[in-house]
């Protein structure tokens, strides 16, 4: 065997002329800080501009994680607390993330002019290819909440080859029926838009309790400078079409799906019905448990995170819905994307509570 010899490797990207190692190190650190803070972009689409923020750098042969938020929220209030948890850091290190803000929902967004035609949820889904083309990304794993879950599902139906997996939280794939419309109209006569949106985000039990969390989001939505824009997104959600999922038919999600619903959530029945219409071999159904851990298992089942060291998580498959009620972990009734205490403390900084599902 030939003796091993020390070989000097020439730097592929040498320093710029006149650049000292100290300056190069500072520039690299500044670039990393910029990536940690996220880079916000806006791209034109056939239905108007769309804003999104990218965290991290693309990983070879790995899809991007693309998120879409619910009504009354933006990407920061909906997803930032979740991705700040220590348990999510392994995922963050292995995937680039694209957080989409629905039109007019981004921070500092101007109010749309009177008479502006807000995109339908179907049209919001049709904006996503423009984002991927701009970033030169080919496939995604979608994570959507409420209205955002519907948008990503619609996109997956029309672009199945670009979606490797979906995490759908509190999805309602059905159009509003006549009874729903009547109830919605009656509620509109006695309730303000912020109160109706809160009724979409939280259970009646939570609203009656009027906790600090409820008060916080009531104040945020009521005094939002873009409340008119939020109402337009809300109207589009209420005018959604039926996704027409049907098990065994061509109109179904072809990728692995993880359905998540909060205990006592307003959309619990809709999620259960959605679960019954999807391919049981491709679909997982999760009620309150550890969302971060379930997400890791979901990625592992897709062939990613194979070397991840994770603790045991009891979870149900669609073939066994009854077992979903006996998942391990605390069955907190808080419908938040923020983790329960079993997931560890929140990182330093302002407390991050977002609605939708207990974890």
């Amino acid at each position: 065997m030939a003796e091993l010899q020390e070989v000097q490797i020439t730097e592929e990207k040498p320093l710029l002329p006149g650049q000292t190692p100290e300056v190069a190190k500072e520039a690299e650190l500044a670039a990393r800080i910029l990536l940690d803070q996220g880079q916000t972009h806006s791209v034109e689409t056939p239905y108007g501009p769309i804003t999104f923020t990218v965290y991290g750098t693309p990983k070879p042969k790995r899809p991007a994680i693309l998120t879409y938020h619910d009504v009354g929220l933006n990407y920061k209030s909906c997803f930032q607390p979740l991705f700040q948890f220590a348990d999510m850091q392994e995922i963050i290190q292995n995937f680039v993330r694209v957080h989409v803000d629905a039109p007019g929902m981004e921070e500092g967004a101007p109010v749309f002019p009177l008479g502006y035609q807000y995109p339908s949820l179907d049209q919001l889904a049709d904006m996503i290819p423009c984002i991927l083309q701009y970033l030169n990304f080919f496939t995604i794993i979608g994570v959507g909440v409420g209205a955002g879950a519907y948008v990503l599902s619609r996109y997956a139906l029309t672009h199945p080859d670009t979606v490797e997996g979906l995490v759908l939280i509190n999805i309602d794939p059905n159009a509003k029926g006549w009874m729903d419309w009547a109830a919605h109209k009656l509620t509109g006569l006695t309730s303000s838009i912020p109160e109706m949106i809160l009724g979409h985000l939280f259970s009646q039990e939570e609203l009656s309790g009027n906790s600090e969390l409820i008060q916080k989001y009531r104040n945020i939505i009521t005094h939002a400078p873009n409340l008119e824009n939020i109402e337009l997104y809300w109207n589009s959600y209420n005018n959604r079409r039926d996704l027409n999922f049907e098990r065994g038919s061509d109109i179904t999600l072809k990728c692995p799906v993880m359905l998540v619903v909060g205990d006592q959530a307003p959309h619990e029945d809709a999620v259960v019905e959605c679960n019954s219409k999807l391919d049981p071999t491709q679909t997982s159904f999760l009620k309150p448990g550890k969302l971060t851990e379930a997400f890791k298992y979901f990625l592992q089942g897709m062939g990613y995170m194979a070397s991840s060291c994770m603790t045991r998580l009891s979870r149900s498959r669609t073939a066994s819905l009854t077992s979903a009620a006996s998942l391990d972990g605390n069955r907190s009734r808080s419908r938040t994307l923020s983790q329960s205490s079993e997931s560890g403390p929140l990182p330093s900084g302002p407390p991050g509570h977002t609605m939708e599902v207990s974890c």
Side-chain angles (χ1 to χ4, degrees):
M1 180 183 293
E3 184 177 352
L4 295 177
Q5 297 180 352
E6 183 177 352
V7 178
Q8 183 176 2
I9 300 176
T10 304
E11 185 180 12
E12 293 184 2
K13 295 183 180 179
L15 299 176
L16 295 175
Q19 188 180 48
T20 65
E22 291 76 15
V23 173
K25 187 174 182 179
E26 289 179 1
E28 181 182 359
L29 178 60
R32 287 181 179 177
I33 292 174
L34 183 62
L35 288 174
D36 289 341
Q37 292 176 339
Q39 295 177 296
T40 300
H41 307 267
S42 182
V43 63
E44 286 294 331
T45 78
Y47 307 103
I50 187 79
T51 300
F52 52 94
T53 304
V54 181
Y55 288 84
T57 55
K59 304 299 187 292
K61 299 182 180 180
R62 293 208 170 198
I65 293 176
L66 186 143
T67 71
Y68 215 113
H69 62 86
D70 203 355
V71 176
L73 309 173
N74 57 30
Y75 96 83
K76 285 188 176 181
S77 59
C78 193
F79 291 106
Q80 199 169 61
L82 172 67
F83 283 94
Q84 285 178 341
F85 275 97
D87 288 350
M88 290 292 288
Q89 299 314 299
E90 186 177 6
I91 294 175
I92 289 174
Q93 293 168 7
N94 284 279
F95 292 89
V96 62
R97 290 175 289 141
V98 181
H99 296 291
V100 181
D101 277 316
M105 303 303 122
E106 67 274 12
E107 289 185 346
V111 175
F112 291 122
L114 188 65
Y116 175 79
Q117 183 63 47
Y118 197 83
S120 66
L121 295 196
D122 290 7
Q123 291 170 334
L124 292 180
D126 289 338
M127 290 179 167
I128 295 177
C130 298
I131 297 174
L132 300 186
Q133 183 178 10
Y134 177 87
L135 295 171
N136 198 30
F137 292 170
F138 300 103
T139 60
I140 65 168
I141 294 172
V143 182
V145 182
Y150 180 103
V151 170
L152 292 179
S153 296
R154 176 63 70 184
Y155 172 75
L157 287 176
T158 55
H159 300 82
D161 294 339
T162 67
V163 182
E164 293 196 25
L166 287 173
V167 178
L168 305 176
I169 303 169
N170 285 340
I171 183 173
D172 187 344
N174 304 315
K176 280 186 174 293
W178 288 109
M179 294 297 292
D180 296 321
W181 267 113
H184 178 73
K185 292 297 183 183
L186 288 173
T187 303
L189 294 175
T190 57
S191 302
S192 64
I193 293 297
E195 289 301 319
M196 287 193 289
I197 292 175
L198 286 170
H200 163 76
L201 297 171
F202 293 99
S203 68
Q204 287 303 313
E205 180 182 352
E206 289 174 308
L207 292 174
S208 299
N210 198 31
S211 65
E212 183 178 340
L213 179 67
I214 301 297
Q215 295 176 37
K216 172 185 175 182
Y217 277 94
R218 178 177 283 113
N219 182 66
I220 289 175
I221 297 173
T222 301
H223 298 98
N226 63 337
L227 182 58
E228 292 90 342
N229 297 356
I230 294 174
E231 182 176 356
L232 293 175
Y233 187 20
W234 173 241
N235 291 338
S236 287
Y237 176 69
N238 287 311
N239 283 290
R240 67 190 179 276
R241 295 192 301 146
D242 200 306
L243 288 174
N244 291 314
F245 289 148
E246 195 62 44
R247 181 175 292 181
S249 74
D250 292 334
I251 305 177
T252 190
L253 298 173
K254 303 295 189 348
C255 62
V257 178
M258 183 169 76
L259 296 174
V260 184
V261 63
D263 205 15
Q264 301 297 315
H267 310 292
E268 184 174 8
D269 291 342
V271 177
V272 172
E273 181 183 353
C274 179
N275 178 66
S276 69
K277 294 182 177 181
L278 298 178
D279 183 352
T281 66
Q282 290 275 71
T283 308
S284 298
F285 184 89
L286 179 71
K287 277 200 169 187
K290 292 183 69 176
L291 180 58
T292 54
E293 196 167 325
F295 192 19
K296 287 181 181 180
Y297 273 110
F298 182 68
L299 294 172
Q300 188 180 44
M302 296 171 58
Y304 304 111
M305 311 286 292
S307 61
S308 176
C309 296
M310 296 176 286
T311 58
R312 179 179 177 272
L313 170 73
S314 293
R315 60 172 181 169
S316 68
R317 301 295 295 180
T318 53
S320 179
L321 278 176
T322 55
S323 65
S326 59
L327 284 171
D328 293 343
N330 295 330
R331 295 182 56 82
S332 166
R333 294 191 181 274
S334 172
R335 298 174 55 237
T336 67
L337 277 175
S338 304
Q339 301 295 300
S340 61
S341 58
E342 64 175 330
S343 298
L346 277 167
S348 59
H353 293 285
T354 40
M355 278 76 72
E356 299 306 334
V357 66
S358 72
C359 306

